Amino acid sequence: MTCLLCDKTLHDQPTWQHFLGIQKDAFACSICFEKFERIDRVIEGDVLDSVDSLYAYNEAAREYLHQFKFMQDVALAQIFAPSLRSVLNDSKKIVVPIPMHPINKRKRTFSQVDALLEAAKIPYQSLLEKTTESVMGEKSRSERLAMTELFRVTADIQRNEAVYVLVDDIYTTGTTLRHAAEALKQRGVQRVEAVTLFRPIREK
């Protein structure tokens, strides 16, 4: 088996943890994976009750997202499956991926957030629909903050007392997640959390 990032052979030998199912197969070599900076940055707000971002959006993260999203290398979803599983594996919470607009999804051929959750074997509910084709990464901060409704809820909310967890690949200004949380809360959801794979770290 080879590293999905550098194509070098992985030299891991089977251990008793493998046989017991405790240790999972690696999809990236230690040299590549150590380039990702784990931060576990948690912030709290009002509409969006909390956001847990797992890794810093550094150069390794930029290269990863480019290869994964724009070069359509879906296999790369496996690399962060254990990390996502460790924070999302809670049957009491309802996981909701941030969706792409249908037109953009057809262009890219797959939804990167769905792929990440499926690789991590995390059950999820597709409750949201994006109402605009515009991509957040192509807008300035002021343009993002000025945007109106970005999502609508497309299914009945059956368990308003449950905690809903939005999942996205990257947190920038938080506009996308806040709009999604607002859409859910307008339908009666009491608490909305979020988990993102990456988040830019800005110097104070």
Side-chain angles (χ1 to χ4, degrees):
M1 187 172 181
T2 60
C3 171
L4 293 178
L5 295 171
C6 69
D7 290 329
K8 292 182 180 178
T9 301
L10 296 174
H11 298 291
D12 291 343
Q13 296 297 318
T15 64
W16 63 270
Q17 289 99 327
H18 274 109
F19 293 115
L20 292 177
I22 299 173
Q23 183 174 323
K24 305 300 181 181
D25 291 333
F27 292 92
C29 67
S30 58
I31 294 175
C32 286
F33 198 76
E34 286 172 1
K35 294 177 182 178
F36 299 102
E37 179 188 352
R38 187 73 186 245
I39 55 172
D40 290 302
R41 178 71 57 86
V42 179
I43 60 173
E44 296 184 359
D46 43 12
V47 175
L48 185 59
D49 295 287
S50 72
V51 184
D52 183 359
S53 298
L54 305 186
Y55 294 90
Y57 185 56
N58 58 14
E59 185 60 32
R62 281 189 286 272
E63 292 178 2
Y64 169 85
L65 284 183
H66 176 77
Q67 186 71 18
F68 177 43
K69 294 166 64 172
F70 302 110
M71 302 302 289
Q72 302 174 350
D73 194 347
V74 186
L76 293 182
Q78 295 286 349
I79 289 176
F80 293 102
S83 301
L84 288 170
R85 196 158 45 237
S86 68
V87 296
L88 291 171
N89 193 17
D90 186 343
S91 60
K92 296 179 182 178
K93 297 183 178 182
I94 297 174
V95 175
V96 181
I98 293 294
M100 300 174 65
H101 189 278
I103 292 177
N104 292 333
K105 185 177 179 179
R106 284 197 294 273
K107 290 177 181 176
R108 193 171 294 170
T109 72
F110 76 105
S111 166
Q112 69 271 10
V113 181
D114 290 1
L116 289 168
L117 291 171
E118 288 162 7
K121 296 181 171 58
I122 298 296
Y124 62 88
Q125 296 184 25
S126 298
L127 301 178
L128 298 172
E129 180 180 81
K130 195 150 188 276
T131 58
T132 173
E133 290 180 56
S134 60
V135 178
M136 291 294 103
E138 297 173 355
K139 294 183 176 296
S140 68
R141 180 182 177 85
S142 59
E143 287 174 330
R144 294 173 190 168
L145 296 174
M147 294 189 73
T148 56
E149 183 181 278
L150 298 182
F151 301 97
R152 59 173 165 259
V153 178
T154 59
D156 292 336
I157 302 296
Q158 301 293 338
R159 297 171 56 197
N160 292 348
E161 74 282 1
V163 175
Y164 286 69
V165 184
L166 299 167
V167 179
D168 206 356
D169 52 357
I170 186 169
Y171 178 104
T172 49
T173 64
T175 301
T176 297
L177 292 171
R178 282 194 296 272
H179 276 264
E182 181 65 35
L184 290 173
K185 287 196 169 181
Q186 286 177 353
R187 297 292 289 270
V189 173
Q190 297 177 14
R191 182 174 177 84
V192 180
E193 300 174 353
V195 171
T196 70
L197 193 56
F198 300 114
R199 176 183 173 86
I201 301 300
R202 298 179 178 87
E203 295 295 335
K204 295 183 179 180

